[in-house]
Coordinates of all heavy atoms in Angstrom, one line a residue:
H200 N -298.2 158.5 -50.0 CA -296.7 158.4 -50.2 C -296.5 159.0 -51.7 O -296.5 158.3 -52.7 CB -296.3 156.9 -50.2 CG -296.6 156.4 -48.9 ND1 -295.6 156.3 -47.8 CD2 -297.7 155.8 -48.2 CE1 -296.1 155.8 -46.7 NE2 -297.3 155.5 -47.0
Y201 N -296.2 160.3 -51.7 CA -296.1 161.0 -52.9 C -295.0 160.4 -53.9 O -295.3 160.3 -55.1 CB -295.7 162.5 -52.6 CG -295.7 163.3 -53.9 CD1 -296.8 163.7 -54.6 CD2 -294.5 163.7 -54.4 CE1 -296.7 164.4 -55.7 CE2 -294.3 164.4 -55.6 CZ -295.5 164.7 -56.2 OH -295.4 165.5 -57.4
K202 N -293.9 160.0 -53.3 CA -292.7 159.5 -54.1 C -293.3 158.2 -54.8 O -292.9 157.9 -56.0 CB -291.5 159.2 -53.3 CG -290.8 160.5 -53.1 CD -289.4 160.2 -52.5 CE -288.6 161.5 -52.5 NZ -287.6 161.4 -51.5
H203 N -294.0 157.4 -54.1 CA -294.6 156.1 -54.7 C -295.6 156.4 -55.8 O -295.6 155.8 -56.9 CB -295.1 155.3 -53.6 CG -295.7 153.9 -54.1 ND1 -297.1 153.8 -54.4 CD2 -295.2 152.8 -54.4 CE1 -297.2 152.6 -54.8 NE2 -296.2 151.9 -54.9
F204 N -296.4 157.4 -55.5 CA -297.4 157.8 -56.6 C -296.7 158.3 -57.8 O -297.1 157.9 -58.9 CB -298.3 158.9 -56.0 CG -299.1 159.8 -56.9 CD1 -300.1 159.3 -57.7 CD2 -298.7 161.1 -57.0 CE1 -300.8 160.1 -58.5 CE2 -299.4 161.9 -57.9 CZ -300.4 161.4 -58.7
A205 N -295.7 159.1 -57.6 CA -294.9 159.7 -58.7 C -294.2 158.5 -59.6 O -294.2 158.5 -60.8 CB -294.0 160.7 -58.3
L206 N -293.7 157.6 -58.8 CA -293.0 156.5 -59.4 C -294.0 155.6 -60.3 O -293.7 155.2 -61.4 CB -292.3 155.6 -58.4 CG -291.7 154.3 -58.9 CD1 -290.4 154.6 -59.6 CD2 -291.3 153.5 -57.6
L207 N -295.1 155.3 -59.7 CA -296.3 154.6 -60.3 C -296.6 155.3 -61.7 O -296.7 154.6 -62.8 CB -297.4 154.6 -59.4 CG -298.4 153.4 -59.5 CD1 -297.9 152.1 -59.0 CD2 -299.6 153.9 -58.7
V208 N -296.8 156.6 -61.6 CA -297.2 157.3 -62.9 C -296.1 157.2 -63.9 O -296.3 157.0 -65.1 CB -297.6 158.7 -62.5 CG1 -297.9 159.6 -63.8 CG2 -298.8 158.8 -61.5
R209 N -294.9 157.4 -63.4 CA -293.7 157.4 -64.4 C -293.6 156.0 -65.0 O -293.5 155.9 -66.3 CB -292.4 157.7 -63.6 CG -291.2 157.6 -64.5 CD -289.9 157.5 -63.6 NE -289.7 158.8 -62.9 CZ -288.8 159.7 -63.4 NH1 -288.3 159.6 -64.5 NH2 -288.7 160.9 -62.7
E210 N -293.7 155.0 -64.2 CA -293.7 153.5 -64.8 C -294.7 153.3 -65.7 O -294.6 152.7 -66.9 CB -293.7 152.6 -63.7 CG -292.4 152.4 -62.9 CD -291.3 151.9 -63.8 OE1 -291.3 150.9 -64.4 OE2 -290.3 152.7 -64.0
A211 N -296.0 153.7 -65.4 CA -297.2 153.4 -66.2 C -297.0 153.9 -67.6 O -297.2 153.4 -68.6 CB -298.4 154.0 -65.5
F212 N -296.5 155.2 -67.7 CA -296.3 155.9 -69.0 C -294.9 155.7 -69.6 O -294.8 156.2 -70.7 CB -296.6 157.4 -68.8 CG -298.0 157.7 -68.6 CD1 -298.6 157.8 -67.4 CD2 -298.8 157.8 -69.8 CE1 -300.0 158.1 -67.3 CE2 -300.2 158.2 -69.7 CZ -300.7 158.2 -68.4
S213 N -294.1 154.8 -69.0 CA -292.9 154.5 -69.7 C -293.2 153.5 -70.8 O -292.4 153.2 -71.7 CB -291.8 154.0 -68.7 OG -292.3 152.8 -68.1
H214 N -294.3 152.8 -70.7 CA -294.8 151.9 -71.8 C -296.2 152.2 -72.1 O -297.1 151.5 -71.7 CB -294.6 150.4 -71.3 CG -293.3 150.1 -70.7 ND1 -292.2 149.9 -71.5 CD2 -292.9 150.0 -69.5 CE1 -291.2 149.6 -70.7 NE2 -291.6 149.7 -69.5
R215 N -296.4 153.2 -72.9 CA -297.7 153.8 -73.1 C -298.6 152.8 -73.8 O -299.8 152.8 -73.6 CB -297.6 155.1 -74.0 CG -298.7 156.1 -73.8 CD -298.5 157.2 -74.6 NE -299.7 157.9 -74.8 CZ -300.1 158.9 -74.0 NH1 -299.3 159.4 -73.0 NH2 -301.4 159.5 -74.1
R216 N -298.1 151.9 -74.7 CA -298.9 151.0 -75.4 C -299.4 149.7 -74.6 O -300.2 148.9 -75.0 CB -298.2 150.5 -76.7 CG -297.8 151.7 -77.6 CD -298.8 152.0 -78.6 NE -298.6 153.4 -79.2 CZ -299.4 154.4 -78.9 NH1 -300.6 154.1 -78.2 NH2 -299.2 155.5 -79.3
K217 N -298.6 149.5 -73.5 CA -298.8 148.3 -72.8 C -300.0 148.5 -71.7 O -300.4 149.6 -71.4 CB -297.6 147.9 -71.9 CG -296.4 147.3 -72.7 CD -295.4 146.8 -71.7 CE -294.2 146.4 -72.4 NZ -293.1 145.9 -71.5
T218 N -300.6 147.4 -71.3 CA -301.6 147.5 -70.3 C -300.9 147.8 -69.0 O -299.8 147.6 -68.8 CB -302.4 146.2 -70.1 OG1 -301.4 145.2 -69.7 CG2 -303.1 145.7 -71.4
L219 N -301.8 148.3 -68.0 CA -301.2 148.6 -66.7 C -300.5 147.4 -66.0 O -299.5 147.5 -65.5 CB -302.4 149.2 -65.8 CG -302.8 150.5 -66.1 CD1 -304.1 150.7 -65.4 CD2 -301.8 151.6 -65.8
R220 N -301.3 146.2 -66.2 CA -300.8 145.0 -65.6 C -299.4 144.7 -66.0 O -298.5 144.4 -65.2 CB -301.7 143.9 -65.9 CG -301.3 142.6 -65.3 CD -302.4 141.6 -65.4 NE -303.5 141.7 -64.5 CZ -303.8 141.1 -63.4 NH1 -302.9 140.2 -62.9 NH2 -304.9 141.4 -62.8
N221 N -299.1 145.0 -67.3 CA -297.7 144.6 -67.8 C -296.7 145.8 -67.5 O -295.6 145.5 -67.0 CB -297.8 144.6 -69.4 CG -298.2 143.2 -69.8 OD1 -298.1 142.2 -69.1 ND2 -298.9 143.1 -70.9
S222 N -297.2 147.0 -67.7 CA -296.1 148.0 -67.4 C -295.8 148.2 -65.9 O -294.7 148.7 -65.6 CB -296.5 149.4 -68.0 OG -297.8 149.7 -67.6
L223 N -296.8 147.8 -65.0 CA -296.5 147.9 -63.6 C -296.1 146.7 -62.9 O -296.2 146.6 -61.7 CB -297.7 148.6 -62.9 CG -298.2 150.0 -63.4 CD1 -299.4 150.5 -62.6 CD2 -297.0 151.0 -63.1
K224 N -295.7 145.7 -63.7 CA -295.3 144.4 -63.1 C -294.4 144.5 -61.9 O -294.6 143.8 -61.0 CB -294.7 143.6 -64.3 CG -295.6 142.6 -64.9 CD -294.8 141.4 -65.6 CE -295.8 140.2 -65.6 NZ -296.7 140.4 -66.8
G225 N -293.4 145.3 -62.0 CA -292.4 145.4 -60.9 C -293.0 146.1 -59.7 O -292.4 146.0 -58.6

Side-chain angles (χ1 to χ4, degrees):
H200 298 267
Y201 181 76
K202 280 192 176 157
H203 179 263
F204 160 69
L206 176 70
L207 202 73
V208 175
R209 180 195 288 268
E210 282 298 301
F212 283 93
S213 62
H214 309 283
R215 210 181 159 91
R216 306 265 158 249
K217 288 191 183 175
T218 63
L219 289 165
R220 184 169 287 257
N221 280 331
S222 53
L223 295 178
K224 258 203 161 74

